[in-house]
Amino acid sequence: MTTSAGHLIVKTLESHGVSRVYAVPGESYLDVLDGLHDSTIHTVVTRHEGGAGFMALAEGRLSSTPGIAMVTRGPGAANAMIAIHTAWQDATAMVLFVGLIPLADRGRDSFQEFSLEGWFSTTAKAVYVLDDEHQAGDLVARAMRLASTGRPGPVVVGLPEDVLVRLTDSPVPAVLPLPEAAPSTAALQKLSMMLSTAQRPAIIVGGDGWDADSSAALAQFAVDAHIPVLADWRAYDVIDHDSPAYAGWLGYGRAERTVAALNDADLLVFIGCTRSDVLSEGYKAALDTPTVVVSLDAELVGHAGRIDAQLCVGPAEFLAALPSGDTLRGTRGTEWIQRLRTEQLGFTTPGPDGGTGVDLGIAFEALEAALDQDRIITYGAGNATLWGHRYLSHHGPRSLVGPRNGAMGISVPAAVAASIMHPGRHVVAICGDGDFFMNAQELSVAFAHGGTPLIIVIDNGIFGTIVAHQQQHYPQRPSGTSMENPNFAEWIRAFGGHGEFVESNEDFAAALDQAMASGLPAVLHLKTDPTTMGPGTVAHRAEVSA
């Protein structure tokens, strides 16, 4: 049958199991939008291209299919760039479709013209441009496969508007299979020997390639083998936090003793992640410790320091091939794993922070108790998220979305996408006042598509992370880091949502109950002490408030 290239793109996405696309419409890809009109794919229209990109990133992280975003020409692509950069650094699968000018106008500085390759080639796995309508389906199939293979990441596809309307009799292509691999017998034997002889081994987990079965297999193996499990930054939903093997995370806001454990270990096994910048304290921690890396990325992008072996397989294939943990513990006792677990439980026991306004140590203890175990937590960037990382637990993979590259503005769109994807589950965004208002407009999308996320906005009136750096390098000279905020509770009420402005500990529990019972998108606006820079810490007041 003859169809347009734009319609063939939609049919190819359908064949790949795509459930949703996140889009800001544009005249440059009208034929794709027309194809979506009768499609099984749900089109989620967002209010900003950055929001569309972040929602697609959340879809890619919370599902087994790359997230899909669609934007138009130069301005739309520019706004979506932050999501592509985040997906690249976070190794999350997504595909961005960008409508382009007609082929005949190329190279003439026509309206909204730009170089797709020039903009995205250094921060995407590939940049494709559809110049042949007969290749429309094949190009999409290639993009979907590449986004998911090896080290996952974003692929950008340019769609010239005149090519989209051209007719083709090319069929919908078959879904390209992902590579299958299993660790070699020799590699497993080498790893087994290393694990059996190590006295203080540690497993470090991360990345997006986990499901419930591989997560459970990891936890069981680690407990049986007496090996503690540490998680990469903002990847600690890989393992159930109730597991006796879970020993905390590495990266910002971590306990000092997790870095000590990394340095004390005599063998490190990285599964799904590498010894990268944030995890290794700026390429300083445990660089010469014997190291095995389990990763599909042959290039090991971002890895620093020693490598004794690499197994080019995914977590599920690796764990399925491993011998049982009790056969690999050698003479290793339980003291090492139990000590780290006990220390982790102490670190995650909430306590008051002190200071004025809402005490987040107390508030997050109540929030943890109120949420179902299958909650999904999304995070923005900045110090405001550290209470959530420390005091909120995860009990399965694909339950956390946060910017591992530190991009602000992801918390709200990610929560909106998660709530649309998983109606009925508790979805909570944790963000500071700066992060919240970067993409707060995307809450309107939740109303349009039935999402009911709860947004916790921690308002200290400053860009807290930057203030902390100023205190260290330019003490008593705050500059460019303060902000004035509206009442966010009234703001969300104007949308028809539920809002609560909370200034004291005594009011938090009731406000939380009312927000969760409302059945609406809700915002809890918490007024907090700007001198409280992290859980359990109150900085020098004069330096912050001067």
Side-chain angles (χ1 to χ4, degrees), residues 357-358 433 436 454-461 484-493 497-512 514-515 522-529:
V358 177
D433 42 355
F436 171 68
L454 170 64
I455 316 297
I456 307 291
V457 184
I458 298 167
D459 174 9
N460 59 5
E484 293 293 330
N485 292 316
N487 185 315
F488 297 131
E490 293 182 357
W491 181 86
I492 191 64
R493 289 182 203 132
H498 185 90
E500 298 280 349
F501 182 77
V502 185
E503 295 182 276
S504 68
N505 299 327
E506 294 75 20
D507 295 335
F508 177 79
L512 175 63
Q514 291 167 16
V523 170
L524 290 186
H525 180 170
L526 310 184
K527 197 68 178 174
T528 64
D529 191 333

Side-chain angles (χ1 to χ4, degrees), residues 390-414:
R390 185 165 173 177
Y391 299 139
L392 299 181
S393 61
H394 292 267
H395 302 282
R398 298 174 182 165
S399 64
L400 186 156
V401 180
R404 296 168 193 154
N405 75 333
M408 295 183 71
I410 191 174
S411 57
V412 171

